[in-house]
Amino acid sequence: MPVSGRERLMAELAVVSRRYMASYALFNQALADHLGLHPTDLQCLNLLTLEGGPVTTGRVAELTGLTTGSATRLVDRLERAGYVVRERDADDRRLVRVATVPERAAEFGRVWDRVGGGWAALFDDLDESELALFIDHMRRTTEFGAREAVRLRSGAAGAP
């Protein structure tokens, strides 16, 4: 029985997406090694710089999918590396928030900018509708990945 164009493309997409994920994981490891961080710590720092302000360790746990104990140890490592500090909340002194160190966050941003220049060039030949398609894909993939991570951590390793 002949294979349809869509079936052929879906099979190719399955292979390409696995290579893409592996490539990104290896890139993440190389960047983490370059900065002297663990790959999970690197991505936590990345997420913290996108949060727009200090967050609780509980929020760090939510962002990373780690337990609060593991998130605390992650924050400890980022603090020792000089990327974050713990601050008392101005409104509720019982709360401690994790804040990025501005100079180190700027340094981290410059590393991403150097890497990102080449990445952005990959999209130079795309029009606005094609860029919108990529953005939609990345949002949907991010949401899917987050849901699957929760499912896997819950012990549901079988089919969704």
Side-chain angles (χ1 to χ4, degrees):
M1 175 180 246
V3 176
S4 74
R6 180 174 177 81
E7 290 171 324
R8 183 178 37 75
L9 288 171
M10 289 303 292
E12 184 177 353
L13 180 61
V15 170
V16 169
S17 65
R18 286 177 60 191
R19 289 186 190 280
Y20 174 83
M21 287 185 282
S23 172
Y24 188 80
L26 295 170
F27 163 75
N28 186 61
Q29 179 69 59
L31 185 55
D33 290 345
H34 176 74
L35 293 172
L37 296 172
H38 183 278
T40 302
D41 299 1
L42 170 70
Q43 288 310 317
C44 178
L45 179 60
N46 180 35
L47 293 169
L48 287 173
T49 63
L50 297 172
E51 278 294 288
V55 300
T56 64
T57 303
R59 177 67 178 145
V60 171
E62 289 173 15
L63 289 168
T64 59
L66 297 172
T67 65
T68 54
S70 293
T72 297
R73 289 187 294 280
L74 187 155
V75 170
D76 290 343
R77 290 190 302 270
L78 287 176
E79 191 172 38
R80 278 193 304 273
Y83 285 100
V84 302
V85 292
R86 287 178 167 98
E87 303 173 337
R88 292 272 174 210
D89 185 274
D91 297 324
D92 183 348
R93 302 290 296 156
R94 295 170 297 174
L95 279 179
V96 175
R97 299 204 179 268
V98 178
T100 57
V101 174
E103 300 81 21
R104 296 303 302 268
E107 173 188 322
F108 180 73
R110 285 189 297 275
V111 170
W112 274 114
D113 289 346
R114 283 194 302 273
V115 171
W119 182 82
L122 295 173
F123 301 95
D124 283 349
D125 62 337
L126 302 181
D127 65 30
E128 288 182 14
S129 67
E130 292 168 319
L131 286 172
L133 179 65
F134 267 100
I135 292 167
D136 180 59
H137 163 71
M138 288 181 163
R139 281 190 181 127
R140 290 175 20 199
T141 300
T142 300
E143 292 165 3
F144 174 80
R147 282 191 313 270
E148 287 300 294
V150 167
R151 187 181 66 77
L152 290 168
R153 285 188 182 104
S154 74

